[in-house]
Amino acid sequence: MPERVETTSPDGVDYGWVMQTTFVTTILVGAPIVAALSIGADLPSWGARAEFAVRVGAVVWLVVALAVFAYAKRTQE
């Protein structure tokens, strides 16, 4: 087994964990939200669909990032 290359001991919030958790949670939560909201939207072209997904996904990402950061801040030792 090779030795670990790097270890961290963060003081305060572990921003690496926050970024990784935000990424995964945004995909798991955001994809169904974008799909559900796109049902009622008029999206005639692929460009309109991509723009819609980016706009809704950005809001989902922001909300998830703030929630994950707040959770990490609240539970830090």
Side-chain angles (χ1 to χ4, degrees), residues 34 38 41-58:
V34 170
S38 70
D42 182 32
L43 303 169
S45 67
W46 282 106
R49 292 173 187 159
E51 184 179 340
F52 178 82
V54 167
R55 287 184 180 192
V56 173

Side-chain angles (χ1 to χ4, degrees), residues 11-64:
D11 294 330
V13 175
D14 183 0
Y15 293 104
W17 179 86
V18 170
M19 289 190 308
Q20 290 173 352
T21 305
T22 298
F23 177 77
V24 172
T25 306
T26 300
I27 291 172
L28 293 176
V29 172
I33 290 173
V34 170
L37 292 176
S38 70
I39 292 172
D42 182 32
L43 303 169
S45 67
W46 282 106
R49 292 173 187 159
E51 184 179 340
F52 178 82
V54 167
R55 287 184 180 192
V56 173
V59 173
V60 171
W61 175 83
L62 183 62
V63 170
V64 168

